[in-house]
C-alpha cells in the first residue's frame, strides 16, 4: 500500500490520551498502513480551548493543511483518500465503505458493551454476556470470511 500525492506524509492528531484512546488508535493504525507519520499529541488547556472554539465537537482531532477533522471516520477517510487502502475502483471503494459501516454500526457497539461488562461499569448476567460475546464473534467471523484472500 502506498501513500498518494494528495495526503501529507506527516500529520498531528490531538487526542485525550496517548495510546488507549480507541478512536485515535484506529486513526494511528490507518496512518501506519498508509505510511503517514501521525504524531499523537495531548493538547494543553489553551490548545483544547482553541480547538473547541473552532467548532470541533470531540477528540481526536486531525490537523491538516486544509483544516481540522474531528470524527474518527472522517479522519480515516482523509488518511486513506488517495491510497490503495481506500479501494482502487468504485466497486472496491463501496466494499470498503460496506465493511467500515459494519464495523462502525455493529462491531463497535458490541465492543463497547463487552468492555462495560468486563471493566464493571455495566452490569449483566452470564446469559447476557454470552449472548453479546457470541454476536461479536459472529460479526467478526462474517467480516473475516468476506475478506479472506483479499
Amino acid at each position: 500500500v502506498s501513500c498518494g500525492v494528495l495526503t501529507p506524509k506527516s500529520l498531528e492528531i490531538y487526542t485525550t490520551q496517548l495510546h488507549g484512546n480507541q478512536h485515535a488508535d484506529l486513526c494511528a493504525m490507518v496512518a501506519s498502513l498508509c505510511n503517514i507519520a501521525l504524531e499523537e499529541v495531548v493538547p494543553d488547556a489553551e490548545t483544547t480551548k482553541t480547538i473547541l472554539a473552532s467548532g470541533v465537537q470531540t477528540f481526536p482531532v486531525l490537523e491538516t493543511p486544509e483544516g481540522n477533522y474531528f470524527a474518527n471516520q472522517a479522519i480515516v477517510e482523509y488518511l486513506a483518500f488517495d491510497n490503495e487502502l481506500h479501494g482502487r475502483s468504485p466497486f472496491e471503494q463501496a466494499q470498503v465503505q460496506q465493511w467500515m459501516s459494519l464495523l462502525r454500526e455493529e462491531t463497535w457497539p458490541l465492543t463497547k458493551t463487552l468492555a462495560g461488562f468486563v471493566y464493571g461499569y455495566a452490569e449483566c448476567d452470564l446469559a447476557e454476556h454470552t449472548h453479546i460475546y457470541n454476536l461479536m464473534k459472529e460479526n467478526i467471523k462474517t467480516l473475516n470470511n468476506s475478506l479472506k484472500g483479499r
Side-chain angles (χ1 to χ4, degrees), residues 59-109:
F59 287 89
V61 175
L62 180 69
E63 187 175 73
T64 74
E66 297 86 9
N68 294 338
Y69 295 95
F70 64 85
N72 66 325
Q73 182 64 32
I75 294 169
V76 167
E77 288 287 328
Y78 177 85
L79 294 171
F81 177 73
D82 61 338
N83 192 291
E84 292 176 8
L85 188 62
H86 195 258
R88 291 174 292 233
S89 69
F91 178 76
E92 286 183 358
Q93 289 173 359
Q95 285 185 312
V96 169
Q97 289 303 313
Q98 171 180 287
W99 297 120
M100 290 301 294
S101 178
L102 175 74
L103 288 170
R104 181 177 56 251
E105 296 167 14
E106 296 183 30
T107 307
W108 182 245

Side-chain angles (χ1 to χ4, degrees), residues 31-134:
S32 176
L33 290 170
C34 296
N35 297 317
I36 298 170
L38 190 64
E39 181 184 353
E40 290 186 74
V41 178
V42 177
D44 59 27
E46 188 62 33
T47 303
T48 299
K49 185 177 174 182
T50 302
I51 289 171
L52 294 175
S54 72
V56 167
Q57 305 287 317
T58 185
F59 287 89
V61 175
L62 180 69
E63 187 175 73
T64 74
E66 297 86 9
N68 294 338
Y69 295 95
F70 64 85
N72 66 325
Q73 182 64 32
I75 294 169
V76 167
E77 288 287 328
Y78 177 85
L79 294 171
F81 177 73
D82 61 338
N83 192 291
E84 292 176 8
L85 188 62
H86 195 258
R88 291 174 292 233
S89 69
F91 178 76
E92 286 183 358
Q93 289 173 359
Q95 285 185 312
V96 169
Q97 289 303 313
Q98 171 180 287
W99 297 120
M100 290 301 294
S101 178
L102 175 74
L103 288 170
R104 181 177 56 251
E105 296 167 14
E106 296 183 30
T107 307
W108 182 245
L110 293 171
T111 302
K112 286 174 58 176
T113 302
L114 283 174
F117 296 162
V118 170
Y119 295 115
Y121 57 85
E123 293 184 22
C124 73
D125 59 24
L126 181 58
E128 184 178 13
H129 182 275
T130 301
H131 175 70
I132 298 294
Y133 179 77
N134 287 335

